[in-house]
Amino acid sequence: MVQYLTTKSIRKEGVLMAKTGKSKVLSLMLVVAMVFGILPAGAIGAFAAPPNGADFTIAQVTGVSATALSQPNVAAGIGDQPAGDIRVIEATVAALGTDDVWLRIQPDRGVTFSRTPEATVTAGDITLGEPELVENNLLRIPVTAESTAAAQITISGIRYNVALSAALGDVDVNVLAGESDVTARVIGAVSNAIVVRPVSATALARPNVVAGFNNQPAGDIRVIEATVAALGTDDVWLRIQPDRGVTFSRTPEATVTAGDITLGEPELVENNLLRIPVTAESTAAAQITISGIRYNVATDTALGDVNVDVLATEDTPTAISTEGLISTISNAIVVRPVSATALARPNVVLGFNNQLAGDIRVIEATATALGANDVWLRIQPDNGIQGVTFSRVPEATVTAGNITIGTPVLAANNLLRIPVTAESTAAAQITVSGIRYNVATDTPLGGVLVDVLAGESTATARLIRTVSNATVVTLAALFPDVPETHFAADAISFLRARGIIQGFPDGTFRPNANVTRAEFAKMAVLSAGLTLIDTETPSFGDAPATHWAFRFIETARAAGIIRGYPDGTFRPNANITRAEIAAIVVRAAGFTEDITGTRFPDVPETHWAFREIMTARNRGIIQGFPDGTFRPNDPATRAEAAVMIFRWVTGTQAQAQ
């Protein structure tokens, strides 16, 4: 870094320079430096005019640093508030020389020194004079003799006046070293205080409240004084913002939970306006907690945050004012009585059948919200073209609360009915899983929209929500080392489009390379659409939490897709065999065991994977080699692995082993 050379620093190098004419001398030095290749020509542009009228860019001091030891809050509109100490640290002896130390509060923030701090040598040795306030935002600490042991200077007792208009956030202080602040170099910029409002408000929780229900608990609201008597005797007001259909259902309670301030009994002035009288100001910074807030929520209430204006004023607030408004907060979220969400949105590829989509979850906000109404999933057609249809009947499971449901029924190729035979007594969740789609070649690209409804029939059912649990995409471009004639070209392109496989940094796929057990565990989990479990406890000694595939391995193990070896290992970096892939695919797909038909001569009944290999063959997942063998113990290639997964997720039999 190019540094501004003071007379003092040049003298240390054995060169004398008069203080007058520094610009010309330094310019000459820069030209010489460029001629001899010391500086690039572009470096001249770095010497822009610095602040405070200095001749050159104020460069940074090397070997000296600055830090703020704490960062307490200071409140806007209050004077003489303590800030954190600032420490100036020499990394080496005499790094400061006899340059004075300067603290300059950055201007235009409304923060100034309220008195002169103290400066103490807290390590090493360096001789200091008395600190001096040169301006209300500029402090000078004279250095009268340089250190002979690396020194630390601690500037303490810093106190600030903070204007009411001061911007909230960090108070930035430039720490400099030099003969004057104009020629000084920057040691560092630190923040030793944070400007906050004199009084703030926060919501301690944000629970859901349901549209169409009354007397629902919201989160407590806390009003906090940053300093003593900041509220004065202004009353505190809570005003629910209008036009939202949310009102107080009863009068909350107000309690002093820190400091001291005297309150009267809360009063509902209107159905959306609460007054908390303050009868005596605090003598210790206070906190008021307003609890037991309950809301009535109209059926037509807009979903989302319930916004509450917290104000402090003597009179009934009729409009938000800069003086009266403390802050606007949200202490509740309005939700539907019944909602629906898609847990994932995997890609489905044009022109392929039986592709896994994301699960859909139907959620009651309160008990009996669904009643005994059936749940319906209806895939929206596009311009009359039903390009996406169910390829099979999904499963429906109660995953929270209690509600009684029957077996799902496909009422049409794009319409699923989930019978509800008894309403819940505890708010329930129904998860619809194993949803698979057939996707026509002329299907529009983009999200698959599914209407989730509740009712006795689709004609009378009400819409809960429209969700998207799949995205229609085209086949991905082929890798340069996978020509169109390759036996696995379609499989590799399909799985790439679905995000199940990817290539190497050089853009290749390397179809003939082997696959590790960890890599295939990841492929299987993604293909099955499983949600990664959150655990830090490894099931296998050689697959710790630090392994890149740890969560995929643990998810596959929890789903029963992988089992590991008898010695308790998983061997994640070992090449996976063809038999192991067949077994994992059969488990992941949930295929019913089928050992009928012609057997492979190299897979006897005693082989550990005999039943899985035969099932995989009978389901079209594997076909074997032209000589009739399967070669179960051979390591599988990346192309072979792609084909087996492709056949599983699409039900397609490709031309491959």
Side-chain angles (χ1 to χ4, degrees), residues 282-333:
S282 65
T283 58
Q287 293 184 10
I288 302 169
T289 300
I290 303 145
S291 57
I293 300 171
R294 287 182 172 265
Y295 290 141
N296 292 336
V297 186
T299 53
D300 58 351
T301 301
L303 304 184
D305 292 346
V306 177
N307 292 321
V308 179
D309 294 329
V310 183
L311 306 100
T313 178
E314 293 181 4
D315 302 319
T316 303
T318 56
I320 296 176
S321 67
T322 304
E323 295 287 326
L325 180 65
I326 295 172
S327 62
T328 298
I329 59 178
S330 169
N331 73 327
I333 303 172

Side-chain angles (χ1 to χ4, degrees), residues 173-334:
V173 179
N174 284 329
V175 184
L176 309 100
E179 292 183 357
S180 75
D181 70 307
V182 174
T183 61
R185 298 162 293 161
V186 176
I187 293 172
V190 299
S191 170
N192 71 328
I194 302 172
V195 180
V196 299
R197 293 183 178 90
V199 185
S200 60
T202 186
L204 303 189
R206 270 206 323 167
N208 289 342
V209 290
V210 183
F213 289 86
N214 291 335
N215 205 35
Q216 301 177 76
D220 293 353
I221 292 175
R222 184 164 289 165
V223 180
I224 306 160
E225 287 187 317
T227 59
V228 174
L231 268 171
T233 55
D234 284 339
D235 294 342
V236 174
W237 301 78
L238 301 189
R239 179 176 55 202
I240 308 169
Q241 289 190 353
D243 304 323
R244 287 298 304 276
V246 178
T247 55
F248 289 109
S249 63
R250 65 181 189 187
T251 307
E253 298 176 357
T255 311
V256 178
T257 47
D260 65 341
I261 195 169
T262 308
L263 305 178
E265 288 295 320
E267 171 195 3
L268 278 182
V269 179
E270 299 171 13
N271 62 7
N272 76 327
L273 183 62
L274 173 75
R275 170 179 170 258
I276 301 165
V278 175
T279 57
E281 66 184 18
S282 65
T283 58
Q287 293 184 10
I288 302 169
T289 300
I290 303 145
S291 57
I293 300 171
R294 287 182 172 265
Y295 290 141
N296 292 336
V297 186
T299 53
D300 58 351
T301 301
L303 304 184
D305 292 346
V306 177
N307 292 321
V308 179
D309 294 329
V310 183
L311 306 100
T313 178
E314 293 181 4
D315 302 319
T316 303
T318 56
I320 296 176
S321 67
T322 304
E323 295 287 326
L325 180 65
I326 295 172
S327 62
T328 298
I329 59 178
S330 169
N331 73 327
I333 303 172
V334 180

